């Protein structure tokens, strides 16, 4: 049985088995079709969503590569998931780190933890540690896959399963867009997917260590990310197409 905090309990017994069968079948068909679109990669944060996608990719033997952004500020549990996943599935997770000079410039300008002081500093940190490495990671690919879901955040409630990533001139797929957290955990239990230990300690959305905390009872999944900011700013810039209702209006 997989248990998170009392607000986010989910077991296969409580989940509709027919729903899981339908979702899994659709996900498998979607990833099979995506894998035929040229050179494709999954951007994995080693979170439960990305582990579900990795499991399907490995289980079906799909020609989809996996990479992660090694920001230098990840939780030790998340870093340990890289080797654990590679061993479990017999694949290589390619790691992309920040460019050393740009990182040194950020620290010199804002300080190591300057991201707490302003939105400008936080976005600058994400730019150095995530956005620039992502650009390198996506070089040479025709499409990429994310584990985004619509119910994760206000900025994702209009998320499409297929969209054009104009920032990188690629097609981006979000095959879990319609899934909810209970769906993710039910799949993980059904297929014995290894999960980041942080999930069992109340972390639903996982990012860098200093910018992520466990959520409290009644809080939204993304409330643990950049908790000192407003809900409509909680994106690092990796998903630049994401908009909330207010910005669309």
């Amino acid at each position: 049985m997989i248990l998170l905090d009392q607000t986010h309990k989910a077991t296969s017994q409580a989940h509709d088995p027919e729903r899981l069968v339908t979702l899994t079948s659709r996900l498998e068909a979607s990833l099979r079709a995506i894998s035929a679109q040229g050179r494709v990669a999954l951007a994995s944060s080693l979170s439960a969503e990305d582990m579900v996608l990795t499991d399907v990719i490995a289980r079906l033997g799909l020609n989809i590569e996996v990479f992660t952004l090694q920001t230098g500020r990840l939780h030790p549990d998340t870093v340990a998931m890289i080797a654990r996943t590679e061993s479990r599935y017999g694949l290589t997770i390619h790691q992309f780190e920040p460019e050393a000079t740009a990182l040194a410039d950020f620290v010199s300008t804002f300080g190591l933890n300057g991201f707490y002081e302003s939105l400008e500093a936080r976005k600058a940190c994400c730019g150095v540690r995530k956005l620039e490495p992502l650009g390198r990671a996506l070089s040479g690919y025709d499409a990429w896959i994310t584990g985004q879901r619509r119910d994760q955040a206000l900025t994702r409630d209009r998320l499409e399963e297929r969209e054009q990533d104009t920032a990188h001139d690629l097609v981006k797929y979000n095959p879990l867009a319609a899934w909810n957290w209970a769906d993710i955990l039910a799949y993980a239990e059904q297929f014995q997917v290894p999960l980041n230990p942080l999930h069992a300690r109340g972390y639903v959305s996982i990012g860098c260590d200093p910018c992520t905390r466990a959520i409290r009872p009644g809080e939204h999944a993304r409330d643990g990310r950049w908790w000192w900011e407003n809900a409509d700013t909680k994106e690092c810039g990796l998903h630049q197409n994401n908009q909330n209702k207010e910005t669309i209006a």
Side-chain angles (χ1 to χ4, degrees):
M1 180 180 293
I2 299 171
L3 293 177
L4 298 185
D5 65 14
Q6 292 184 353
T7 307
H8 291 281
K9 291 182 179 179
T11 68
S12 61
Q13 290 80 9
H15 192 275
D16 180 358
E18 292 186 5
R19 175 177 170 83
L20 182 60
V21 169
T22 298
L23 287 173
T24 300
S25 177
R26 289 176 178 172
L27 179 60
E28 291 174 347
S30 176
L31 288 175
R32 282 194 180 98
I34 292 170
S35 70
Q37 301 304 306
R39 192 178 177 212
V40 183
L42 165 66
S44 175
S45 66
L46 290 308
S47 66
E49 290 86 354
D50 297 322
M51 292 306 300
V52 165
L53 292 169
T54 300
D55 183 84
V56 176
I57 289 168
R59 186 161 51 79
L60 300 184
L62 300 178
N63 185 27
I64 296 174
E65 298 181 51
V66 182
F67 71 83
T68 193
L69 303 180
Q70 174 50 279
T71 66
R73 300 301 300 271
L74 300 178
H75 295 80
D77 284 322
T78 301
V79 175
M81 283 296 297
I82 298 173
R84 184 181 174 193
T85 304
E86 291 179 328
S87 176
R88 167 66 183 273
Y89 294 112
L91 50 75
T92 298
I93 297 179
H94 304 284
Q95 300 181 53
F96 290 84
E97 300 178 351
E99 197 278 323
T101 301
L103 184 56
D105 288 344
F106 167 81
V107 173
S108 176
T109 301
F110 296 102
L112 180 63
N113 295 323
F115 44 80
Y116 290 127
E117 304 302 322
S118 70
L119 183 60
E120 175 193 8
R122 199 273 288 170
K123 289 191 173 183
C125 186
C126 288
V128 170
R129 295 184 185 276
K130 293 184 175 182
L131 271 63
E132 191 281 330
L134 177 68
R136 285 186 278 115
L138 293 176
S139 178
Y141 286 101
D142 300 297
W144 64 301
I145 302 168
T146 86
Q148 293 185 100
R149 296 183 291 106
R150 293 187 189 116
D151 71 351
Q152 287 175 324
L154 290 173
T155 52
R156 299 181 181 182
D157 64 357
R158 294 173 181 260
L159 185 68
E160 300 291 338
E161 292 191 9
R162 183 187 186 280
E163 57 186 341
Q164 185 65 32
D165 178 356
T166 55
H168 302 98
D169 194 25
L170 295 173
V171 176
K172 181 166 71 171
Y173 293 96
N174 309 301
L176 297 177
W179 288 48
N180 60 41
W181 185 235
D183 298 330
I184 296 296
L185 294 184
Y187 179 98
E189 185 167 5
Q190 176 70 29
F191 292 93
Q192 294 299 294
V193 177
L195 295 180
N196 192 320
L198 291 171
H199 289 307
R201 301 204 294 273
Y203 290 75
V204 180
S205 179
I206 299 174
C208 290
D209 189 349
C211 298
T212 311
R213 64 164 173 79
I215 64 172
R216 304 183 181 96
E219 286 188 323
H220 191 275
R222 296 278 287 186
D223 286 344
R225 301 292 297 278
W226 306 298
W227 63 91
W228 62 92
E229 295 182 8
N230 295 325
D232 59 359
T233 68
K234 294 188 177 186
E235 293 286 353
C236 60
L238 294 180
H239 308 295
Q240 297 185 30
N241 291 354
N242 292 351
Q243 303 178 79
N244 61 25
K245 294 176 181 177
E246 288 73 26
T247 60
I248 291 172

